[in-house]
Structures are given as structure tokens and as C-alpha cells.
Amino acid sequence: MRIALIGGTGDIGEGLALRWGVETDHTIVIGSRDAERAAERAESYAETVESCGGRAEFEGLENVAAADGADVVVLSVPPFHVADTVDAIAGSVTGVLVSPAVGISRDESGFHYRPPPTGSVTELVAEHAPEGVPVVGAFHNLAAGRLTDLDADLGIDVLVVADDEDAKATVSSLAEDIPGIRALDAGPIVNAAEVESVTPLLINVAQRNDGLHDLGVSFE
Amino acid sequence: MRIALIGGTGDIGEGLALRWGVETDHTIVIGSRDAERAAERAESYAETVESCGGRAEFEGLENVAAADGADVVVLSVPPFHVADTVDAIAGSVTGVLVSPAVGISRDESGFHYRPPPTGSVTELVAEHAPEGVPVVGAFHNLAAGRLTDLDADLGIDVLVVADDEDAKATVSSLAEDIPGIRALDAGPIVNAAEVESVTPLLINVAQRNDGLHDLGVSFE
């Protein structure tokens, strides 16, 4: 499988790239607005993965080229860039679009869920996705630091929302390629807001309780 | 300590009454709009608790009388009755007001978080609470069935929000009186929405994934 990580030079993109790199034999394409930066990062991830015995292939390309021909395209960009990014790659995307971004504001009380007017970032992606391209919301609640630290145990759940059941199954299976991740079905993408809003909660809890950091969520 | 469970004849009230009854020596007051029904339920809970070796005292009273003199008053009523209930007991409440209710709507896609215009039910309680009465949001994400089943292990977290740190500590300690519950600080009550919105998510996940039911959440 060919997986493109659009914005794959960012922290959540790096975490997914390294974990899939070590655990699968997929081809992982790091996308960036800057092709040179994408190539540099792809090479750096490949070295890390190889040193851990991983066998995935890495490529680094500008975002539009990265999306082209990928079976799965993960939009690992900040929430306020998501709509523009989908519009920019719309001509080349044919695979499943995956949205992990969450709109969050911060004030003196902590972190707060701030969805776009569409209801959630996942639904915003669906609004901008080209006709026929399925959209899946997933990986919203992963702590990038814990994902990137390949020695860190996960033992957490990934909530997956999608209207297309095949696309949901593909992404759930990709999530479970990473040991310690269980993928759970949270329904269609209209249910994405409740999934996304867990992310600011995780940050609030991690900041306010001793001994907790880089938290994930588990349903028991 | 004297704990009033307003609407304590309902399912979450029953669960908390039974668990605190078995695990503590607090006095537990079951409140209802109907004093006779409150007394019947208090007697029934007392029998269950006694048969499990519990030593808590139970009383059953009409809501206003139940709140009178209680150190902690739990508003275990449906979200659309919360404001009216706080107004009704306002003259007798002096203890900490605890809000566990969540606004939820349901359609063919699943369950959705629907907060009141104040932002959350917890903030609605704060808006209606008498001057000087601290408000704590807690127990939103407990599955009543699992709480009521005294043989069921919990192993879950209770997220606590409050602006008054003493009140937060009191309620966190009460939560942890129940074995298998860990209380986590989620900040001031302006952070309540992200806590409350976990509840419809838990129901969606339980309905859509085999083998999962009466779910709780754990932060790891």
C-alpha cells in the first residue's frame, strides 16, 4: 500500500511515518509544500526506521505529487490549513482521505474544542473532498511525542469515523498495524465532533495531573 | 458526610447510592419529587447495601428536604430538568452542587453532544446555583448499569471540573471512595463541555463494537 502523509514533516506525520515504517512494508510518502524539505525528512525517517529493523520504503515529494497515486492520504496539517490543503491536492487525490486534525483554542483555563462551522474538521474535509473520494476521521487523539518515541508503549484506542465502510476498514486496519493501537468504530463522520473534542481534554488532563503526559484514551 | 442524591431514584443516582453505600459510612439521602417514592427507594438501596456488608445510613426525602443540610448534593436528574431542579432546591442547598448530567440527542447516526446555550450542563448549574454554593462537574461518563452492578469491576476515570479547589478535592475524594475509580482534574468548569461530550461518544462506541458495553473511559 502507498500511504501519503501530507504535512508529513510535522509531529503527528512523523509519528505515523516512523510507526508504519517500522511495522509494515508499505511505501510511505512524506509530503510537504517544499519538495526539498520533504525529501530530507523522508531520508531522515528512513534512516531511523532502518536502524530499528524496519523495511518500509520512504519517498519525499511536494504535497500534490505525494497525494498522486496514494491509496491513503493522511492530512497531517494544522486545522486552519486543512481546507486549503484539500483544495490544493484535489486534482491528484484518488485514495482515501484521512483527517486527524482538531480545532483547539487555548486560554488561561486550558484547551477548548473549537470546531469549524461545518461541525468538525473531518466534516470540513468531506465538504472539500473531490467527488468519489472517501473521507475517514482517525488518529485525532494520538500524542505525537509518544508515537514518535518508538520505545514507548501505546495501549490506546483510535476512534474511526467514516460514511464509507470499506474506507473505514482500510484505515482501521492501518491503525492496528501499529502494536498497542486498537481501532474502534465511532460511526459516520457526523459523529466526528465527539471524537475530535477528546483531544483538548487529553491535554487538559495531562497538564493538571501529576505523572500523566502524552496521554491517550482507552475505552473499557 | 451527608450526601444528597437529587433524583436519586434514577439509574445513575442508584449506582452512586449503592457504591457509596457499600464502600463508605456516609449518610446517603435519596431525593425525589415524590417523598414516598424516595423513602421506598432508600429502603430498597439500604437492603441491597446491607446484604453486601455495607454500613452507610440511607434516608429518603422530597428533593428540597434532601438537599437541606447535605455536604454534597448530586443533581442526578435528566439534563432538561437540571435548571428547574436547582431553582427548586436553591433555598435549602448549602453544600457542594455536583452536576453529572449531559445533553445528548439521538438520530440514525448515533448519539450527539447537545449542550445548552451556556456551553455545558455544568455551567448551566453554576448559572442557577445560589450565591456562594460551589459547583463541581463530575460522574458524567459513568455507565449506570456497570455502577449498579456491584460485582462489576470499574477500572475507569472520573473527570472533575470546578472553579473551587476545595469543592473539587471533596468530590474527587468521594469519587475515589469507590474502588476502581480514579478522579482526574480537568480544570475549571469552563472545561466541562469536553468532559460531557465524552458520554455520547462512549455510547456510540459501545453500540458499534462487538464485546463492548457499559463503557467507561481511561486516560493512559
Side-chain angles (χ1 to χ4, degrees):
Chain A
M1 190 177 285
R2 189 173 172 89
I3 307 170
L5 291 158
I6 304 301
T9 60
D11 55 3
I12 188 75
E14 177 177 6
L16 289 171
L18 294 181
R19 294 277 178 170
W20 281 325
V22 169
E23 302 295 346
T24 75
D25 55 4
H26 299 311
T27 298
I28 298 165
V29 188
I30 306 305
S32 169
R33 282 174 297 182
D34 176 344
E36 197 174 328
R37 188 167 150 77
E40 279 168 16
R41 278 307 188 92
E43 193 175 338
S44 154
Y45 298 166
E47 279 169 23
T48 303
V49 163
E50 205 178 303
S51 73
C52 296
R55 59 189 190 281
E57 299 265 327
F58 281 84
E59 295 176 26
L61 297 168
E62 190 278 330
N63 282 334
V64 175
D68 192 15
D71 303 290
V72 172
V73 177
V74 182
L75 296 160
S76 40
V77 297
F80 44 87
H81 284 321
V82 162
D84 286 352
T85 302
V86 176
D87 292 345
I89 64 173
S92 67
V93 175
T94 51
V96 177
L97 265 181
V98 180
S99 178
V102 178
I104 296 177
S105 72
R106 180 184 193 168
D107 61 21
E108 70 285 352
S109 301
F111 293 79
H112 308 283
Y113 181 50
R114 294 291 177 263
T118 43
S120 64
V121 174
T122 309
E123 286 162 286
L124 181 66
V125 170
E127 202 174 80
H128 285 255
E131 183 83 22
V133 167
V135 172
V136 177
F139 310 118
H140 302 98
N141 311 320
L142 294 177
R146 190 153 151 204
L147 207 58
T148 308
D149 175 3
L150 294 173
D151 295 326
D153 287 332
L154 296 176
I156 52 181
D157 293 330
V158 162
L159 298 160
V160 184
V161 289
D163 295 345
D164 181 307
E165 293 301 323
D166 289 341
K168 187 188 278 179
T170 297
V171 175
S172 297
S173 169
L174 261 184
E176 294 193 341
D177 279 344
I178 301 172
I181 286 186
R182 176 177 63 167
L184 293 175
D185 183 357
I189 66 167
V190 71
N191 294 359
E194 287 80 4
V195 175
E196 294 179 2
S197 73
V198 171
T199 304
L201 177 60
L202 288 171
I203 308 173
N204 288 335
V205 170
Q207 287 205 329
R208 290 175 180 274
N209 297 271
D210 289 344
L212 300 185
H213 51 88
D214 284 342
L215 284 179
V217 74
S218 175
F219 291 79
E220 328 212 334
Chain B
M1 190 177 285
R2 188 173 172 90
I3 307 169
L5 291 158
I6 305 301
T9 60
D11 56 3
I12 188 75
E14 177 178 6
L16 290 171
L18 295 180
R19 293 278 179 171
W20 281 325
V22 169
E23 302 295 345
T24 75
D25 55 5
H26 299 313
T27 297
I28 298 164
V29 188
I30 305 305
S32 169
R33 281 174 298 181
D34 177 343
E36 196 174 328
R37 188 167 152 75
E40 279 168 16
R41 277 307 189 93
E43 193 174 338
S44 155
Y45 296 165
E47 279 170 22
T48 302
V49 163
E50 206 178 305
S51 73
C52 295
R55 57 190 192 280
E57 300 266 327
F58 281 84
E59 295 175 27
L61 296 168
E62 190 279 332
N63 283 335
V64 176
D68 192 15
D71 302 291
V72 171
V73 177
V74 182
L75 296 160
S76 40
V77 297
F80 44 87
H81 285 320
V82 162
D84 286 351
T85 302
V86 176
D87 292 344
I89 64 173
S92 66
V93 175
T94 51
V96 176
L97 265 181
V98 180
S99 179
V102 178
I104 296 177
S105 72
R106 180 184 194 167
D107 62 21
E108 69 286 352
S109 301
F111 294 79
H112 309 284
Y113 181 49
R114 293 292 177 261
T118 44
S120 64
V121 174
T122 308
E123 287 162 287
L124 181 66
V125 171
E127 203 174 78
H128 284 256
E131 183 84 22
V133 167
V135 172
V136 177
F139 310 119
H140 302 98
N141 311 319
L142 294 177
R146 190 152 151 204
L147 207 58
T148 308
D149 175 4
L150 295 172
D151 295 326
D153 287 332
L154 296 177
I156 52 181
D157 293 330
V158 162
L159 299 161
V160 185
V161 290
D163 295 345
D164 180 308
E165 293 301 323
D166 289 341
K168 188 188 276 179
T170 298
V171 174
S172 296
S173 169
L174 260 184
E176 294 194 341
D177 280 344
I178 301 172
I181 287 186
R182 175 176 63 166
L184 292 175
D185 183 357
I189 65 167
V190 70
N191 294 359
E194 286 79 6
V195 175
E196 295 180 1
S197 74
V198 171
T199 304
L201 177 60
L202 287 172
I203 308 174
N204 288 336
V205 170
Q207 287 205 328
R208 290 175 180 274
N209 296 272
D210 289 343
L212 300 185
H213 51 87
D214 284 342
L215 284 179
V217 74
S218 175
F219 292 79
E220 326 213 337

